Amino acid sequence: MTDLDIKKGSNNKSAYNLRDPLSELTESHTLAVMVDNESGVLARVIGLFSGRGYNIDSLTVAEVDHSGKLSRITIVTNGTPAVIEQIKAQLERMVPVHAVHDLTVEGRTIERELALIKVAGSGEKRVEALRLADVFRANVVDSTLKSFTFEIKGTPEKIDAFCDLMRPLGLKELARTGVAALSRGK
Amino acid sequence: MPNFTGAEIVIKSLLSQGVDTVFGYPGGAVLPIYDEIFKEKQIKHILVRHEQAAVHAAEGYARSTGKTGVVLVTSGPGATNAVTGMTDALMDSIPLVVLTGQVPTFMIGNDAFQEADTVGITRPCTKHNWLVRDTNKLAETIHKAFHVAANGRPGPVLVDIPKDVQFADGIFKEPKEIKNTYHVRRVRPDNASIEEVSQAIRNAKKPMIYSGGGVINSGKKASNLLRMLVSKTNFPITSTLMGLGSYPASGENWLGMLGMHGTYEANMAMHDCDVLICIGARFDDRITGRTDAFSPNSYKIHIDIDPSSINKNIQVDVPLVSDIEIALKEIINTWEKGGSETQRTSIKKWWSKISEWKNVKCLAYKQAGEFIKPQYAIDRLEKITSKMDRYITTEVGQHQMWAAQYMKFEEPNRWMTSGGLGTMGYGFPSSIGVQIAYPKSLVINVAGEASWLMNMQELGTAVQYGLPVKQFILNNERLGMVRQWQELLHGERYSHSWSESLPDFEKLADAYGIKGITCSNPKYLDDSIEEMVNHPGPVIFNCVVEKHENCFPMIPSGKAHNEMILGEIGEKDSVDSAGAVLV
């Protein structure tokens, strides 16, 4: 197109403004999807992901506006930039979907997850678990003579790190909520 | 406010939506609605013989009229039989409202008789669907359903109505009382994009317009604007299978259909062009061939109402999310305001290049001997009927591609075919839907015998309603396209690709009290076609054709547009192993 006197990317919707659309590298994105809290809406969203072969790394959903019957679905997904764009476009055209926010590109975000972690052990390991929990600011929400149940909240990475440390110390059971996320500011 | 039963509300809602025709089949879970249909004379109910056919008939009706097709079927098997039709309508963006009966709300989940999770099953094959649990919500839901089906990118929707909801009393509302929360994206494209497009039109030296079904969905005005754009710019134009008729086949700039079985000139021009304007099409794999070699040097403009179509298969330079009519109007205006310039000399050179490709005469065939070539049969059908008030439907396979290649469409909404899903069995019921909409017109279903058998039970429907649909069956006693692929890709091992135990089509016609014609000699073909066309009732035309004819030209799987195969030469080695896994 050297003959054409058109500046590529002069339009803000141009494909040239995508972050390298043809990149084969997958990236992780956190999407916040506002939906009508109607029957089957979660199945619809999940069905889109499974039907079109997209990935779900984490999923959180709850009604956030009781009077307006709106739910917020927070999905952590991964894919190439082109796939991420497709996911957003496919979500946006669903009838119960009001808005799709790609928190990963909309600026800085706060991401939080909560986990409950049961660690069983005795002696030195038990003490070490408690000490590390303190470092990570995890609370003990249940304890027996042979176990602790910690409650920890933070970014998924922080929880991953804590779980990795707890594993050799006797991690027995783990429950995670998935990510809740908001963009910073305003 | 007076209360009505749910069943009455269904009928009142359909009437207030302007519905005059419903295609359906009764059953236990829709009996209350059928009871109301019995009393209501304004709505014509067409009783099909299988629910799949009800949906295809509604598709034919919708595609030929531009209105929304309406289907009414029962729960369980009624709904599951309708799934293929809804998937077909979703792929081809056909607006449909499908009403299904459901077991009473208090029995849902109990594996009741004829219970199926209809909204669950149809979630991926509808634009949206609803289960109505409250009679007071029924009118509102039906009105929303019509809104969603027809607005934005059209498609099928489904409303599942439990039997107790049909019996219970509730409030009826008019469409204007409903607030639609679904955002309609009949949006105006942004100025910057429009300016970019008009600049591309000004600068293009080897331009190409590639239009699709979206132009037809946008309406008659969109087709007129497309014609205007082409005639003002002198750009060459091709179209997808779904888009045939939006630009007239007799138009000077017409290159024929593009894609896997498109013309040589259309595909070569797609490959070599420097500006590609895609209007209401979606870069389907039948069109693009190998995507990494698709139109490698062109500046690509994509106009589509559905943002998810943009950059899905092919990365484009200028996306325009818009209704086609609005976009074309603005493009023409902006380009004309800027002086209506084009690169005339370069475009002239481009046209002479295109004529070289045209001279290859990729659709040439030789009718010789005592067997009818299928191309010849379609060609004669075209010549004899081209001046008539004619609607064509097709089944799926070789005959469909030949019909697309050899038949000429001058107007939109005259060509009904299953494009995206490729549903064998689409054509016959679709022709019924078209004939219902246009009782006086000539409606021909161009079929292959294998496809046609898939919904041949609809002979009953055609006879019951006195629909003079013409079933023009190219009978090669083969699943022609499957056979062709087995020849090209699977070492000529013709695994299960023939039609054994075919009925005697004339006797079959006789059994239904309609006319049957068999023609196997090219000498008598014209007379036989005339006989079919002039017969006032339905006709089964058994056109016995050469059995092993392949459909060319063809872009083999995994190949680019400039690697088309034109005829018999070298075809066996034309697909490599990477192409063989594709469909």
Side-chain angles (χ1 to χ4, degrees):
Chain A
M1 279 307 300
T2 46
D3 291 346
L4 274 168
D5 183 26
I6 294 170
K7 200 170 136 262
K8 285 187 176 173
S10 58
N11 174 353
N12 61 4
K13 280 189 193 154
S14 166
Y16 287 98
N17 294 336
L18 286 176
R19 287 143 295 109
D20 189 9
L22 302 174
S23 163
E24 291 300 316
L25 289 175
T26 63
E27 27 184 75
S28 176
H29 281 242
T30 305
L31 306 178
V33 188
M34 300 303 296
V35 298
D36 287 322
N37 186 15
E38 61 181 35
S39 151
V41 66
L42 187 60
R44 228 175 269 284
V45 170
I46 293 173
L48 173 75
F49 276 75
S50 62
R52 293 188 182 262
Y54 307 143
N55 303 309
I56 296 180
D57 295 332
S58 142
L59 180 84
T60 315
V61 53
E63 190 169 87
V64 291
D65 176 355
H66 296 299
S67 60
K69 284 201 148 295
L70 280 179
S71 287
R72 185 181 177 102
I73 302 177
T74 309
I75 304 170
V76 181
T77 182
N78 68 73
T80 60
V83 168
I84 298 286
E85 291 305 312
Q86 259 300 301
I87 292 174
K88 287 190 272 180
Q90 293 288 353
L91 283 170
E92 269 169 357
R93 72 175 186 153
M94 299 182 97
V95 170
V97 169
H98 288 249
V100 179
H101 298 287
D102 185 345
L103 299 175
T104 307
V105 299
E106 283 182 9
R108 294 178 307 141
T109 56
I110 310 159
E111 294 194 0
R112 288 293 180 270
E113 189 176 358
L114 185 131
L116 296 173
I117 300 158
K118 192 176 283 178
V119 181
S122 56
E124 199 46 43
K125 284 186 174 175
R126 186 171 158 85
V127 178
E128 182 63 5
L130 202 57
R131 206 182 60 79
L132 283 169
D134 194 38
V135 173
F136 276 77
R137 281 187 256 172
N139 299 321
V140 177
V141 288
D142 183 48
S143 79
T144 67
L145 290 174
K146 288 185 180 146
S147 71
F148 287 121
T149 300
F150 298 114
E151 171 206 75
I152 180 171
K153 59 181 187 297
T155 62
E157 293 75 23
K158 176 181 165 183
I159 291 169
D160 283 345
F162 185 66
C163 293
D164 287 346
L165 288 169
M166 287 300 120
R167 227 160 246 125
L169 299 178
L171 190 151
K172 288 285 174 244
E173 244 183 314
L174 172 62
R176 298 174 69 152
T177 59
V179 174
L182 284 179
S183 57
R184 284 180 187 271
K186 272 190 287 175
Chain B
M1 195 174 280
N3 275 5
F4 299 96
T5 68
E8 286 170 332
I9 291 173
V10 170
I11 300 302
K12 282 179 76 70
S13 304
L14 293 180
L15 285 172
S16 59
Q17 287 289 342
V19 173
D20 51 17
T21 308
V22 173
F23 299 90
Y25 202 99
V30 279
L31 283 177
I33 300 175
Y34 270 88
D35 210 19
E36 291 308 314
I37 284 190
F38 188 78
K39 301 171 198 161
E40 173 55 58
K41 295 295 168 234
Q42 267 177 278
I43 291 182
K44 189 200 280 179
H45 178 274
I46 305 299
L47 175 71
V48 293
R49 299 300 187 267
H50 186 287
E51 289 88 350
Q52 182 193 352
V55 187
H56 292 324
E59 282 186 274
Y61 180 87
R63 190 70 174 164
S64 60
T65 59
K67 292 195 253 180
T68 297
V70 182
V71 175
L72 174 61
V73 295
T74 193
S75 64
T80 55
N81 278 346
V83 164
T84 301
M86 283 186 276
T87 312
D88 190 272
L90 186 72
M91 291 287 263
D92 287 344
S93 307
I94 310 292
L96 295 183
V97 172
V98 178
L99 306 173
T100 52
Q102 182 54 281
V103 301
T105 47
F106 52 85
M107 289 177 85
I108 288 177
N110 289 359
D111 296 326
F113 177 64
Q114 291 195 328
E115 180 183 356
D117 175 11
T118 303
V119 285
I121 290 167
T122 61
R123 210 171 275 136
C125 65
T126 51
K127 230 180 126 178
H128 197 62
N129 60 17
W130 295 263
L131 170 64
V132 184
R133 289 173 175 274
D134 176 0
T135 308
N136 289 316
K137 295 261 174 69
L138 191 51
E140 180 177 342
T141 308
I142 292 173
H143 294 321
K144 274 188 181 163
F146 275 89
H147 177 83
V148 171
N151 284 283
R153 178 175 175 177
V157 298
L158 180 140
V159 183
D160 200 22
I161 312 170
K163 197 171 183 181
D164 55 335
V165 172
Q166 298 170 34
F167 275 124
D169 282 349
I171 294 161
F172 170 73
K173 286 180 179 168
E174 289 290 342
K176 58 176 183 292
E177 298 173 65
I178 311 300
K179 186 170 156 269
N180 277 302
T181 49
Y182 173 61
H183 298 286
V184 191
R185 296 182 180 87
R186 202 182 156 87
V187 284
R188 206 191 141 275
D190 64 301
N191 287 335
S193 302
I194 294 286
E195 184 46 53
E196 272 182 275
V197 176
S198 57
Q199 204 173 335
I201 292 173
R202 274 177 222 128
N203 295 342
K205 292 179 172 155
K206 296 188 284 179
M208 187 68 183
I209 294 175
Y210 141 52
S211 74
V215 182
I216 292 172
N217 274 336
S218 178
K220 205 121 194 156
K221 281 186 193 156
S223 288
N224 290 337
L225 286 162
L226 178 70
R227 291 161 190 223
M228 193 191 280
L229 178 71
V230 172
S231 78
K232 281 174 193 261
T233 57
N234 192 29
F235 285 3
I237 176 167
T238 180
S239 157
T240 65
L241 183 72
M242 296 307 295
L244 296 176
S246 49
Y247 184 81
S250 61
E252 282 178 19
N253 299 42
W254 178 241
L255 302 192
M257 182 176 77
L258 83 162
M260 185 171 269
H261 292 289
T263 65
Y264 183 68
E265 52 269 33
N267 286 332
M268 291 304 282
M270 286 292 282
H271 189 267
D272 281 8
C273 65
D274 71 345
V275 169
L276 177 61
I277 309 177
C278 167
I279 307 174
R282 59 184 175 92
F283 296 99
D284 176 79
D285 55 64
R286 298 297 92 165
I287 297 305
T288 59
R290 215 177 93 198
T291 47
D292 60 359
F294 172 76
S295 194
N297 303 312
S298 63
Y299 180 81
K300 297 180 184 68
I301 294 156
H302 188 182
I303 314 172
D304 202 299
I305 198 161
D306 178 3
S308 76
S309 286
I310 309 262
N311 292 338
K312 183 169 67 179
N313 300 331
I314 297 291
Q315 293 288 326
V316 297
D317 299 281
V318 187
L320 254 86
V321 178
S322 168
D323 178 71
I324 300 300
E325 184 196 330
I326 299 171
L328 286 178
K329 203 181 282 171
E330 301 234 349
I331 288 167
I332 295 171
N333 281 346
T334 309
W335 171 69
E336 287 191 325
K337 257 184 225 156
S340 318
E341 268 175 83
T342 54
Q343 303 290 323
R344 276 161 207 267
T345 344
S346 306
I347 291 171
K348 214 169 163 191
K349 244 188 262 168
W350 177 228
W351 271 111
S352 63
K353 185 75 198 163
I354 290 171
S355 345
E356 280 172 34
W357 291 324
K358 273 190 176 170
N359 286 338
V360 169
K361 299 209 183 312
C362 68
L363 294 180
Y365 62 89
K366 220 162 125 199
Q367 172 61 46
E370 56 196 298
F371 294 109
I372 299 174
K373 283 258 189 191
Q375 298 94 323
Y376 179 70
I378 305 269
D379 215 1
R380 292 319 301 162
L381 180 70
E382 162 63 22
K383 296 280 169 4
I384 292 167
T385 63
S386 62
K387 294 281 177 287
M388 298 175 181
D389 172 21
R390 176 192 79 174
Y391 293 82
I392 302 291
T393 69
T394 76
E395 306 285 346
V396 167
Q398 286 182 323
H399 67 274
Q400 178 191 27
M401 292 299 110
W402 281 316
Q405 289 171 341
Y406 293 95
M407 302 207 83
K408 312 276 182 238
F409 298 96
E410 299 296 312
E411 294 297 327
N413 307 99
R414 295 274 174 167
W415 162 249
M416 273 55 61
T417 194
S418 169
L421 194 63
T423 311
M424 291 170 74
Y426 167 90
F428 187 7
S430 177
S431 70
I432 285 174
V434 177
Q435 191 81 73
I436 292 287
Y438 301 99
K440 299 260 187 289
S441 303
L442 174 64
V443 181
I444 305 171
N445 173 32
V446 177
E449 87 290 346
S451 280
W452 191 80
L453 291 179
M454 282 204 181
N455 268 324
M456 61 183 263
Q457 78 285 344
E458 294 309 311
L459 279 169
T461 312
V463 172
Q464 180 178 345
Y465 296 97
L467 305 171
V469 287
K470 316 297 184 216
Q471 304 303 312
F472 190 74
I473 303 170
L474 296 182
N475 182 359
N476 60 0
E477 300 173 18
R478 301 287 183 277
L479 281 64
M481 195 60 97
V482 173
R483 195 210 67 81
Q484 177 168 346
W485 279 58
Q486 286 172 336
E487 183 185 331
L488 298 181
L489 286 150
H490 295 275
E492 299 179 60
R493 292 180 295 279
Y494 299 122
S495 184
H496 299 271
S497 57
W498 67 90
S499 306
E500 226 174 69
S501 310
L502 283 172
D504 178 327
F505 285 101
E506 280 185 75
K507 279 191 182 152
L508 182 64
D510 203 36
Y512 274 94
I514 63 172
K515 190 174 185 64
I517 300 172
T518 297
C519 182
S520 54
N521 189 330
K523 268 198 293 191
Y524 305 126
L525 182 61
D526 279 16
D527 288 347
S528 302
I529 292 174
E530 296 274 6
E531 190 185 349
M532 171 185 86
V533 168
N534 293 328
H535 182 72
V539 177
I540 302 176
F541 191 115
N542 176 27
C543 187
V544 182
V545 296
E546 193 164 309
K547 298 189 194 317
H548 295 146
E549 189 67 23
N550 283 334
C551 183
F552 290 115
M554 178 179 184
I555 304 176
S557 298
K559 297 282 181 179
H561 280 171
N562 60 346
E563 297 175 290
M564 291 195 91
I565 44 178
L566 290 169
E568 311 292 326
I569 310 150
E571 66 190 46
K572 300 238 162 48
D573 304 317
S574 54
V575 181
D576 55 26
S577 55
V581 302
L582 303 171
V583 289

